[in-house]
Amino acid sequence: MTDETYLRKTFDLAFQAFESGSRPFAALIVFDGQIICETLDERKWKMDPTAHPEVEAIRTFYKRFDLDQINRAALYTNVEPCPMCAGAIFYSGIGRLVYSVSRKSFDSWVAQCRMRPRQRCVGAREIIRPNGLTRVRGPLLEKEGLALIKHHFFPLRFEQEKTGTEN
């Protein structure tokens, strides 16, 4: 399978997250050519602000495999990881990160919609690159990935602002 195929799988997972009432973010890890875990944004369900899909995927990997094997794994995500997730990726030593929508494109779109991000985020590359362990590829299929976010994230945020709630 190709990077693009795995990214499209994260798009399907992000849609599942949205359908379950969460934010449309997802990740998966491929190890030795097999998808070994698929994760959704679980902050709402776990009541845990760190339950982002990238962090949950790394946690799942470490429950199933030895620490020294993660350098042979690849993490795929539909949006470039936030600084917290990029830090987890940095310290995990995962072999590859592949993402669709860049942080810059996502934040730019959020600003255009007048949805203020909680923080201005730096890109994952800026955090991950210094370790030299993780190869980063992205953005890939960015128009397709951003279309999914625009279609699902905006109505969700609009409803939250209208009702004063947030996931």
Side-chain angles (χ1 to χ4, degrees), residues 101-115 117 120 146 150:
V101 179
S102 71
R103 177 63 42 195
K104 181 179 179 181
S105 292
F106 180 76
D107 285 347
S108 202
W109 174 74
V110 167
Q112 287 174 357
C113 297
R114 296 191 179 123
M115 294 183 291
R120 290 287 176 208
L146 195 54
K150 286 179 178 180

Side-chain angles (χ1 to χ4, degrees), residues 9-109:
K9 177 68 175 163
T10 69
F11 298 166
D12 294 341
L13 293 168
F15 181 74
Q16 287 176 26
F18 172 78
E19 288 289 302
S20 71
S22 191
R23 294 176 180 181
F25 302 114
L28 61 84
I29 290 183
V30 174
F31 181 71
D32 287 343
Q34 300 292 315
I35 296 173
I36 56 107
C37 68
E38 299 173 343
T39 55
L40 310 177
D41 185 282
E42 297 184 4
R43 290 177 285 178
K44 180 178 181 178
W45 313 118
K46 291 188 173 183
M47 301 216 32
D48 176 357
T50 68
H52 291 207
E54 300 92 339
V55 172
E56 292 300 303
I58 291 167
R59 287 175 178 154
T60 300
F61 183 91
Y62 277 132
K63 289 177 185 172
R64 295 182 55 197
F65 296 93
D66 293 332
L67 297 175
D68 60 349
Q69 292 179 303
I70 200 162
N71 64 337
R72 296 186 356 237
L75 174 66
Y76 292 84
T77 185
N78 65 313
V79 176
E80 183 177 3
C82 73
M84 178 190 71
C85 294
I89 293 163
F90 174 89
Y91 286 109
S92 75
I94 198 160
R96 293 182 67 222
L97 165 67
V98 183
Y99 64 87
S100 176
V101 179
S102 71
R103 177 63 42 195
K104 181 179 179 181
S105 292
F106 180 76
D107 285 347
S108 202
W109 174 74

Side-chain angles (χ1 to χ4, degrees), residues 5 8 18 20 26 43 47 53 76 88 91 97 115 119 121 128-129 135 137 144 150 160 166:
T5 303
R8 285 194 174 95
F18 172 78
S20 71
R43 290 177 285 178
M47 301 216 32
Y76 292 84
Y91 286 109
L97 165 67
M115 294 183 291
Q119 71 246 349
C121 294
I128 296 168
R129 182 174 284 151
R135 289 170 289 145
R137 184 169 186 218
E144 192 176 332
K150 286 179 178 180
Q160 290 168 350
E166 185 174 340

